[in-house]
Amino acid sequence: MADIFHSSQPIYQQLAERMKKQIIRGELAPGDKLPSVRETGIKVNVNPNTVQRTYRELESMHIVESRRGQGTFVTEDNKVLETIREEMKTELMSSFFKGMHEMGYTNEEIKHGLIDFLNEKGEQDA
């Protein structure tokens, strides 16, 4: 986790987004214990209170759960994780399409561009 934050959004929200991405990518698996608030604060160079707020935010979304005396763990509820994954995909796609439309591209141009891009990417991965 890089410790670079931008000022357009509260740090705790940016940190929550980073952790959600780690979970979606499988870097943090269902049932994994998160580092302590203090450890995470040191790792990303933020105040432990900010990390605590991040953990509370993730808990309110049911992405993590706190267990008294044990720590904070990634949920094992695959339905919650799949919902978060789909929401993040929709947000990214919405942002992409909004940007493309603002630049004047039609849906048809975007579609063909994506097909070309994926075909080229597939050839590079082969």
Side-chain angles (χ1 to χ4, degrees), residues 3 8 11 15 26 28 37 40 47 52-53 64 75 82 86 93 96 105 116 118:
D3 59 356
S8 64
I11 291 173
L15 188 54
L28 291 170
V37 166
T40 300
N47 186 302
Q52 184 62 46
R53 188 164 181 190
V64 301
T75 185
E82 187 57 35
E86 287 300 311
M93 291 177 70
F96 168 76
Y105 290 99
D116 291 345
L118 291 172

Side-chain angles (χ1 to χ4, degrees), residues 15-58:
L15 188 54
E17 282 300 307
R18 288 181 189 182
M19 295 180 90
K20 282 170 41 178
K21 288 176 183 175
Q22 286 182 303
I23 292 167
I24 297 307
R25 287 191 303 260
E27 294 170 20
L28 291 170
D32 278 359
K33 182 177 180 181
L34 299 183
S36 73
V37 166
R38 184 175 306 259
E39 288 175 84
T40 300
I42 291 169
K43 184 176 182 180
V44 297
N45 197 28
V46 299
N47 186 302
N49 292 333
T50 302
V51 177
Q52 184 62 46
R53 188 164 181 190
T54 299
Y55 282 18
R56 278 197 314 267
E57 178 80 5
L58 292 170

Side-chain angles (χ1 to χ4, degrees), residues 57-107:
E57 178 80 5
L58 292 170
E59 190 168 12
S60 74
M61 293 187 254
H62 306 287
I63 297 170
V64 301
E65 56 186 47
S66 294
R67 300 179 193 156
R68 184 177 288 282
Q70 295 180 32
T72 304
F73 297 80
V74 176
T75 185
E76 295 184 68
D77 186 337
N78 287 324
K79 187 174 181 181
V80 168
L81 296 175
E82 187 57 35
T83 298
I84 295 298
R85 187 173 194 276
E86 287 300 311
E87 287 173 357
M88 292 181 81
K89 178 177 74 173
T90 299
E91 286 173 24
L92 283 170
M93 291 177 70
S94 177
S95 176
F96 168 76
F97 283 106
K98 180 181 177 194
M100 294 297 284
H101 286 141
E102 286 174 354
M103 292 175 47
Y105 290 99
T106 65
N107 284 346

